[in-house]
Amino acid sequence: MRVGGFRRRKPRLLSVVVPVYNVADYVAASLDSILHQPLREVCGIEVIVVDDGSTDGSAEIVKEIAATEPRVTLINQPNCGVSIARQTGIDAATGDLLTFVDPDDILPRDAWSSMVRSLRRTGSDFAVGSAERITIENGEVRRYVTPLMRRNHTRTRLRCRIEDAPLMLADVFVWNKIFRRSFWTDNAITFPERTRYQDQVALTQAFLAARAFDVLPDVVYDWRVRSDFSSATQKRAQVANLVERITTKRQTVELVASAGSPNLMRTLRTEILPIDMWEHFRAAVDPTTEDPDRYWSLLREAVLELWYDAGVPFEETTVPRGQRLMARLVAEDRRDDLADLVTMIDERGPARAIEAFSSRECH
C-alpha cells in the first residue's frame, strides 16, 4: 500500500548512534536499555558506539558488551568531541532509519515504536516525541517535562511543516527523534564541532529542510540530569560555555534568516532564544563565575545584538517577568542592580522581589 507516494513497509534496520566519552558509570545501563527495546516496528537495530578517546574504561565496558552482542559495534577514535563522534557513527550507519542516544541516559521501556509506526503511516522525514528530565536526589527519582516540551507535545500532529508549528524550533534535542537516514545525509545536516550546544544548529537545519515531520505526545526519552554537575549543559558560569551558547544562537539566527520567514524569526527571538538566558544572567553576578568582567561584557554584547539591536527588545519576549527584568539590567549595564535583584529573588521569591525592586526603581 502507498500513502502519499510512500510504500508502507517495515523498515529493515534502525541505526542507533551512541557517542561515548568517559561515562563508565552509565554506559552499560544505557546500552542495556537500548538492547531491550521492543522491535515490532523494525526488522532490527544496529548500535554504533563511537568511543571518543575515553580514559576511564568506557571503551573496555562497551567492548565486553559487543563481544557477546552482535548488534553492537564499537568504533574507537582519538578525542575529537561529540559532534565528530556522532558523525563517525552516522557515516558507519546502514539502517533505513537513524536515531541517537546519549550514553548517560536510559530509554523508556518502549522508546521507538510510536515514532517508527508514525513514519510508516505518513512518509514524513522524521518523527519527534516528548522527553522527561530525570533527576535522582537521595535515591528519589523525579520526572519533569519542561514547559515548552509540554506545549509542543500536547497532541499528535502529522506531516507538519515548520511554518505550521514554528515553536518546534525549540525542540533542540537530537535524541527524541527518529530520522530517515536518507533525509539526514541528503540534506548534509551536521553538528558544529567543539561546542556543547551542537544539537540546536543541527535540529534547526532539520526542521527547516523537512518536507514534513510528525509530532507525537508519547514520552520517548528519559533525559538524565547528573547530580555531579558533570554534564556539559550544567557549567553555565564558564566563559567558554557562554561563548559557545552565544555562537550557537547566532548560527541559529542565520539559519532561520535564510528561510526568509518573519513568523519563524519572530518566534525564534521572542520564545526560543531567550529560554535559557536566565541561567547566564544569574551566572554573571555569581562570585564564583570565571573572569566576571569578560563574562559580563560578552553577555551584554549578546543581549544587545540578539534582541535590542534586532528590533525585538527582551521585554517583548515570552519568558517570565523576572527574566525580562534581568535582561534589561544587563542591557543597561547595571551589574550591581542585577546582583541585588538576584539576591532578592532568592530571598523573597520572584513576585515579591520584582515588586520590591520596581518600587525601589520608582524612588
Side-chain angles (χ1 to χ4, degrees), residues 92 104 176 178 180 214 233 255-256 294 298 329:
D104 51 356
N176 61 331
I178 290 182
R180 297 193 188 282
D214 300 338
T233 53
L255 286 169
V256 173
R294 182 165 181 243
L298 290 169
L329 296 176

Side-chain angles (χ1 to χ4, degrees), residues 230-277:
S230 57
S231 71
T233 53
Q234 290 171 298
K235 299 176 181 178
R236 309 293 191 192
Q238 298 175 350
V239 169
N241 188 301
L242 176 63
V243 170
E244 290 168 16
R245 173 65 78 187
I246 294 168
T247 300
T248 298
K249 290 183 184 297
R250 286 172 176 153
Q251 291 172 329
T252 304
V253 167
E254 290 174 2
L255 286 169
V256 173
S258 69
S261 168
N263 181 44
L264 286 182
M265 183 60 75
R266 180 75 184 178
T267 300
L268 181 70
R269 292 197 191 273
T270 59
E271 300 199 62
I272 298 171
L273 289 185
I275 59 177
D276 49 25
M277 291 301 296

Side-chain angles (χ1 to χ4, degrees), residues 283-312:
V285 293
D286 189 304
T288 66
T289 292
E290 175 189 14
D291 197 351
D293 289 343
R294 182 165 181 243
Y295 195 103
W296 178 264
S297 177
L298 290 169
L299 178 62
R300 182 166 181 265
E301 177 185 323
V303 168
L304 291 172
E305 171 193 338
L306 294 171
W307 286 280
Y308 295 91
D309 294 348
V312 184

Side-chain angles (χ1 to χ4, degrees), residues 329-350:
L329 296 176
V330 172
E332 294 175 357
D333 202 15
R334 296 167 60 184
R335 195 184 335 187
D336 290 343
D337 286 335
L338 177 60
D340 288 346
L341 175 62
V342 169
T343 298
M344 293 166 69
I345 289 174
D346 291 342
E347 293 176 348
R348 310 182 191 187

Side-chain angles (χ1 to χ4, degrees), residues 334 355-363:
R334 296 167 60 184
E355 181 181 356
F357 189 89
S358 299
S359 176
R360 190 180 78 175
E361 291 262 277
C362 292
H363 294 86

